[in-house]
């Protein structure tokens, strides 16, 4: 019995040995003597190359070879090998594997392969390169001399200060290996810039970018400015600068080597003067200058401009202008400004006609308007482009807008009018969700709670849209909630079914107009409702319309059971909800709402 057992063990041992031998023969077959190796067609070899980081995306060389023929049914895989000249490739230093012919190898990949093979950066190396098939059949090697570089991520300066925000505007910085920082000395135009590593993510050149930690600001000379991922743009007034970026520390230093040769308009006071400047302006005074022409009114901000990257802006918001009377814009009293010893006055020739009101006309070279009223005047001096001066005059948007009519309850201003909600950042847009009664005598709008400047419709444009005119806008066919939006600039009114949404972490998405977070219109119960599961997060809700551009510009919130609108204000106080199933009801008739955990 013992002898038979030993025989079985030995038999099993030889079976295992045979199995391994069989597997080894299949995985690594002997290369037939008539196998044909690959032949390298290009490059031809020779030459001396100094690789540079700035050229990392360029093609170093294109390797082209004939296919190897093993005379066996095997899959052929190729690799690019490197060794010192005179070496036998016994170390099997692979530059690239799993390659196909023709192979375009970039400066970056060739450099990385050399560093990985142990070739020191900054030193010229005599090397030989060959293509190998399945670690068996090889091409004749080619010789060359190559100096690799120290490889780090490329960081660039990009922005309007260097010509634009497109890839062709990337200004590559030099890496200081000893200090561990990036440096670049360059001319900056007045504008903005940021830092980015455009090649770190092949799909998104902005995946890694650094800007100011906090709000945008203009910087001249400053050390160790704190940066943050995706931070704010960095402003500059132009000139020659040295920029030093420390990616690891998240800071940069900016040194101004030479100031820009631009006119400085900081603090220069301007005024508007002429018989067209109405004495109804509270701060208007009689012109006491040598011009002795009508009234004078200094610009907002005590006459001084705001500035950004070499562009200076003066405004007169809500200035009252008389009809058919002339006026000009000038340096204070028409005299040279003490800040730069420059004087100017501007008339109709400086007007941006395309972007100004049609009521602005030429009065013998002076500016004038055909209707008395409130206007917004903007004067821009572009110091970057030779102090070009541009004037824009538009009719002032009303500070308020009211809706009135039998469709919303009656025609009594005190008892029935509804104040519209301004759309944030759009002074000519107003909105409101209102309850409308069918079969009534329509509605109109007015910037004040009175008649005179009221308006309704002229033409039904279809799709619930109307052009401005004097007729009442008709009541809807069915009673219920409607979203009313007034565009004062386009002179259009829209009346459509309301769209109200939740947004943010509470619903797990910051996508606008998300159907999963939309409120349902329940006209039978005079409310809009949302029913669903919310996460533990801040509650954010808003009304949406095709005229709008950003959801937060028509945001609102429920506080103590009342709906309060953001309008033109800042962020509203936050309301947090715990995770759970909720019903949120909104009653826009009485401006109330509720958030109920189920």
């Amino acid at each position: 019995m013992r002898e038979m057992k030993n025989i079985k063990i030995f038999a099993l041992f030889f079976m295992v040995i045979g199995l391994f031998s069989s597997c080894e023969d299949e995985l690594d077959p002997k290369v037939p003597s008539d196998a044909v190796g690959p032949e390298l067609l290009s490059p031809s070899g020779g030459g001396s190359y100094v690789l540079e980081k700035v050229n990392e995306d360029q093609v170093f060389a294109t390797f082209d070879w004939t296919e190897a023929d093993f005379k066996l049914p095997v899959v052929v895989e190729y690799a690019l090998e490197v060794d010192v000249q005179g070496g036998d490739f016994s170390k099997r230093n692979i530059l690239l594997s799993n390659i196909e012919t023709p192979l375009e190898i970039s400066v970056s990949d060739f450099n990385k392969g050399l560093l990985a093979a142990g070739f020191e950066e900054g030193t010229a190396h005599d090397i030989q390169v060959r293509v190998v098939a399945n670690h068996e059949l090889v091409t004749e090697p080619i010789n060359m001399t190559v100096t690799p570089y120290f490889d780090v991520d490329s960081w660039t300066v990009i922005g309007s200060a260097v010509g634009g925000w497109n890839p062709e505007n990337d200004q590559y910085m030099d890496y200081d290996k000893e200090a561990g920082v990036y440096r670049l000395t360059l001319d900056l135009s007045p504008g903005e810039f940021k830092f980015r590593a455009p090649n770190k993510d092949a799909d998104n050149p902005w995946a890694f970018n650094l800007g100011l930690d906090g709000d945008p600001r203009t910087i001249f000379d400053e050390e160790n400015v704190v940066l943050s991922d995706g931070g704010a743009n960095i402003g500059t007034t132009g000139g020659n600068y040295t920029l030093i970026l420390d990616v690891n520390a998240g800071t940069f230093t900016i040194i101004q080597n030479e100031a820009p040769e631009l006119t400085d308009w900081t603090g220069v006071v301007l005024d508007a003067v002429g018989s067209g400047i109405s004495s109804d302006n509270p701060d208007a005074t009689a012109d006491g200058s040598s011009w002795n022409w009508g009234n004078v009114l200094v610009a907002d901000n005590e006459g001084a401009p705001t500035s950004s990257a070499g562009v200076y802006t003066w405004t007169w918001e809500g200035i009252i202008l008389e009809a058919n009377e002339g006026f000009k814009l000038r340096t204070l009293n028409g005299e040279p400004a003490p800040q730069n010893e420059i004087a100017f006055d501007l008339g109709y020739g400086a007007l941006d006609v395309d972007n100004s009101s049609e009521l602005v006309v030429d009065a013998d070279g002076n500016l004038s308007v055909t209707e008395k009223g409130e206007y917004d005047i903007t004067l821009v001096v572009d110091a970057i482009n030779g102090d070009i001066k541009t004037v824009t005059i538009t009719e002032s948007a009303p500070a308020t807008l009211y809706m009135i009519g039998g469709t919303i309850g009656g025609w009594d201003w005190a008892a029935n009018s509804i104040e519209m909600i301004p759309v944030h950042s759009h002074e000519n847009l107003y909105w409101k969700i209102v309850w409308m009664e069918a079969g009534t005598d329509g509605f109109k709008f007015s910037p004040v709670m009175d008649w005179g400047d009221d308006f309704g419709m002229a033409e039904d444009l279809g799709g619930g849209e109307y052009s401005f005119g004097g007729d009442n806008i008709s009541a809807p066919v069915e009673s219920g909630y409607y979203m009313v939006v007034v565009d004062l600039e386009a002179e259009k009114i829209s009346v459509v079914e309301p769209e109200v949404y939740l947004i943010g972490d509470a619903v797990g998405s910051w996508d606008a107009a998300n159907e999963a977070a939309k409120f349902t219109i329940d006209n039978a119960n005079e409310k809009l409702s949302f029913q669903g599961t919310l996460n533990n997060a801040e509650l954010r809700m808003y009304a949406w319309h095709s005229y709008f551009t950003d959801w937060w510009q028509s945001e609102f919130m429920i506080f103590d059971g009342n709906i309060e609108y953001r309008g033109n204000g800042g962020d509203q106080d936050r309301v947090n909800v715990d995770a759970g199933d909720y019903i949120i009801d909104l009653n826009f008739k009485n401006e109330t709402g509720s958030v109920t955990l189920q």
Side-chain angles (χ1 to χ4, degrees):
M1 293 290 293
R2 182 175 298 174
E3 185 175 321
M4 290 182 64
K5 183 176 181 180
N6 288 339
I7 292 173
K8 290 180 179 179
I9 291 174
F10 279 114
L12 178 61
F13 174 77
F14 284 114
M15 286 177 63
V16 172
I17 293 296
L19 177 61
F20 275 102
S21 298
S22 175
C23 290
E24 186 174 321
D25 288 343
E26 290 179 11
L27 293 174
D28 189 19
K30 183 175 178 60
V31 179
S33 59
D34 59 345
V36 179
E39 179 184 352
L40 190 60
L41 303 177
S42 66
S44 59
S48 180
Y49 306 93
V50 178
L51 306 183
E52 294 181 317
K53 180 71 174 177
V54 70
N55 300 321
E56 64 178 351
D57 292 330
Q58 296 182 10
V59 175
F60 171 71
T62 299
F63 286 82
D64 192 7
W65 62 90
T66 60
E67 299 287 347
D69 184 1
F70 279 85
K71 305 298 182 179
L72 292 171
V74 295
V75 176
V76 181
E77 294 183 351
Y78 297 93
L80 193 64
E81 289 186 334
V82 64
D83 202 351
V84 296
Q85 291 183 21
D88 60 3
F89 289 93
S90 59
K91 293 182 179 180
R92 290 290 174 90
N93 290 320
I94 305 296
L95 288 172
L96 284 177
S97 58
N98 296 322
I99 59 176
E100 296 180 355
T101 186
L103 167 69
E104 286 189 348
I105 185 169
S106 68
V107 170
S108 175
D109 288 341
F110 198 76
N111 187 77
K112 289 176 180 177
L114 292 177
L115 295 178
F119 293 97
E120 184 180 358
E121 78 274 2
T123 301
H125 300 277
D126 295 326
I127 63 172
Q128 54 179 339
V129 180
R130 71 180 185 181
V131 174
V132 58
N134 289 1
H135 302 294
E136 294 289 347
L137 302 179
V138 299
T139 66
E140 287 294 323
I142 58 172
N143 296 329
M144 63 182 71
T145 300
V146 181
T147 303
Y149 58 86
F150 178 70
D151 194 14
V152 292
D153 291 322
S154 296
W155 281 84
T156 69
V157 178
I158 190 169
S160 58
V162 293
W165 297 91
N166 297 319
E168 61 268 22
N169 304 118
D170 277 305
Q171 304 297 309
Y172 282 83
M173 307 184 75
D174 297 321
Y175 185 74
D176 183 339
K177 184 179 178 182
E178 296 298 324
V181 297
Y182 295 82
R183 300 178 187 271
L184 183 62
T185 296
L186 76 169
D187 291 328
L188 295 177
S189 300
E192 296 178 317
F193 68 92
K194 295 183 75 173
F195 301 98
R196 73 174 184 174
N199 304 318
K200 200 169 181 179
D201 186 324
D203 298 322
N204 180 11
W206 284 101
F208 299 89
N209 76 87
L210 297 172
L212 290 176
D213 185 37
D215 295 330
R217 62 189 178 96
T218 299
I219 302 177
F220 300 93
D221 277 284
E222 194 169 336
E223 294 183 356
N224 300 320
V225 181
V226 178
L227 300 170
S228 63
D229 293 335
N233 293 350
I234 306 161
T236 174
T237 56
N240 184 268
Y241 291 86
T242 296
L243 304 177
I244 304 171
L245 172 65
D246 189 333
V247 175
N248 292 328
T251 62
F252 87 102
T253 293
I254 180 169
I255 302 169
Q256 187 180 65
N257 304 314
E258 185 178 342
E261 295 182 2
L262 301 175
T263 306
D264 186 1
W265 294 93
T266 304
V268 172
V269 176
L270 302 186
D271 64 32
V273 63
S275 56
I277 308 302
S278 176
S279 58
D280 293 340
N281 290 290
D283 296 324
T285 59
D287 180 23
S289 73
S290 60
W291 289 31
N292 191 28
W293 182 27
N295 296 309
V296 64
L297 184 67
V298 298
D300 301 333
N301 192 34
E302 298 181 346
T306 58
S307 64
S308 176
V311 177
Y312 298 82
T313 304
W314 292 260
T315 61
W316 291 259
E317 292 187 357
I319 185 173
I320 303 172
L321 300 176
E322 296 288 344
N324 304 314
E325 295 288 343
F327 66 95
K328 282 190 169 184
L329 308 178
R330 64 181 185 179
T331 49
L332 185 63
N333 295 323
E335 299 174 353
Q339 292 85 352
N340 57 22
E341 297 299 323
I342 296 175
F344 68 80
D345 60 82
L346 303 175
Y348 189 83
L351 184 71
D352 181 354
V353 176
D354 291 339
N355 292 303
S356 294
S357 169
E358 294 179 354
L359 300 178
V360 184
V361 295
D362 185 354
D364 295 327
N366 297 322
L367 293 160
S368 183
V369 294
T370 57
E371 293 182 12
K372 180 177 179 177
E374 292 187 10
Y375 294 83
D376 294 333
I377 300 177
T378 302
L379 190 160
V380 174
V381 175
D382 187 349
I384 305 169
N385 294 299
D387 295 327
I388 292 176
K389 301 170 182 66
T390 306
V391 176
T392 305
I393 304 177
T394 57
E395 298 164 70
S396 297
T400 56
L401 187 66
Y402 297 90
M403 182 177 179
I404 193 170
T407 300
I408 61 170
W411 294 94
D412 185 288
W413 285 108
N416 307 121
S417 65
I418 295 175
E419 185 173 359
M420 304 288 286
I421 309 301
V423 178
H424 198 289
S425 305
H426 297 273
E427 64 176 4
N428 290 300
L429 278 179
Y430 289 84
W431 72 278
K432 188 74 174 177
I433 295 176
V434 298
W435 181 272
M436 293 188 177
E437 289 290 343
T440 53
D441 54 357
F443 57 95
K444 299 181 80 173
F445 302 91
S446 176
V448 294
M449 294 175 62
D450 201 353
W451 305 108
D453 293 326
D454 58 283
F455 61 92
M457 63 165 282
E459 182 182 0
D460 186 340
L461 303 175
E465 197 170 54
Y466 306 88
S467 61
F468 279 16
D471 297 334
N472 293 349
I473 302 170
S474 300
V477 176
E478 296 182 5
S479 298
Y481 281 118
Y482 291 86
M483 176 82 161
V484 180
V485 181
V486 179
D487 186 336
L488 297 173
E489 184 175 9
E491 296 191 343
K492 292 193 298 185
I493 302 157
S494 175
V495 182
V496 294
E497 186 176 272
E499 295 183 36
V500 175
Y501 299 89
L502 296 176
I503 195 170
D505 295 335
V507 291
S509 172
W510 288 93
D511 293 336
N514 179 7
E515 288 296 321
K518 188 176 183 179
F519 281 72
T520 300
I521 302 170
D522 182 2
N523 285 328
N525 294 298
E526 299 183 353
K527 65 182 180 179
L528 275 70
S529 296
F530 170 85
Q531 184 169 356
T533 302
L534 299 179
N535 302 318
N536 181 7
E538 296 174 351
L539 197 62
R540 307 291 291 268
M541 63 184 76
Y542 65 99
W544 187 246
H545 189 275
S546 61
Y547 289 2
F548 300 166
T549 56
D550 291 289
W551 66 268
W552 58 269
Q553 295 173 347
S554 50
E555 190 177 9
F556 60 90
M557 185 48 62
I558 302 169
F559 296 105
D560 297 326
N562 297 311
I563 297 174
E564 295 185 17
Y565 302 93
R566 175 172 184 169
N568 282 323
D571 277 341
Q572 294 177 288
D573 292 337
R574 297 291 179 245
V575 174
N576 287 280
V577 293
D578 295 325
D581 295 329
Y582 284 84
I583 293 178
I584 303 176
D585 289 331
L586 302 172
N587 185 323
F588 288 97
K589 286 188 72 173
N590 57 23
E591 304 279 34
T592 60
S594 62
V595 181
T596 307
L597 178 63
Q598 299 302 292

